[in-house]
Amino acid sequence: DAPLRARAGEPVLLSAGSSTDDDGFIAEFWFETGDGTPLRQTVSAELYQTFAEPGVYTVTLHVIDDDGAKDTDRAEIEVR
């Protein structure tokens, strides 16, 4: 798959909106943006991130459900 694309200095919407839990709900969303920004917890499935420099960044999403089960997913973003 080709990486997602963004422009340096412009906010990008990172969304975990398609994350589901078959027997409950996602209780925590944690985003690692791959650009040195500290790991951030959100109460919703969305986060706006601005990448300052061009490059290819691996964004990692960590989710924890209401039973404490964890999962991780990654996507690449090409910033120009």
Side-chain angles (χ1 to χ4, degrees), residues 64-75:
I64 303 172
D65 74 6
D66 58 315
D67 295 320
K70 300 175 183 179
D71 200 8
T72 299
D73 198 10
R74 290 175 182 80

Side-chain angles (χ1 to χ4, degrees), residues 12-48:
V12 176
L13 175 62
L14 305 176
S15 177
S18 63
S19 298
T20 61
D21 180 25
D22 293 337
D23 65 351
F25 60 93
I26 305 294
E28 297 178 32
F29 299 89
W30 294 82
F31 289 89
E32 284 183 81
T33 56
D35 66 346
T37 302
L39 181 69
R40 289 191 277 181
Q41 180 184 17
T42 64
V43 294
S44 73
E46 296 182 340
L47 172 75
Y48 280 95

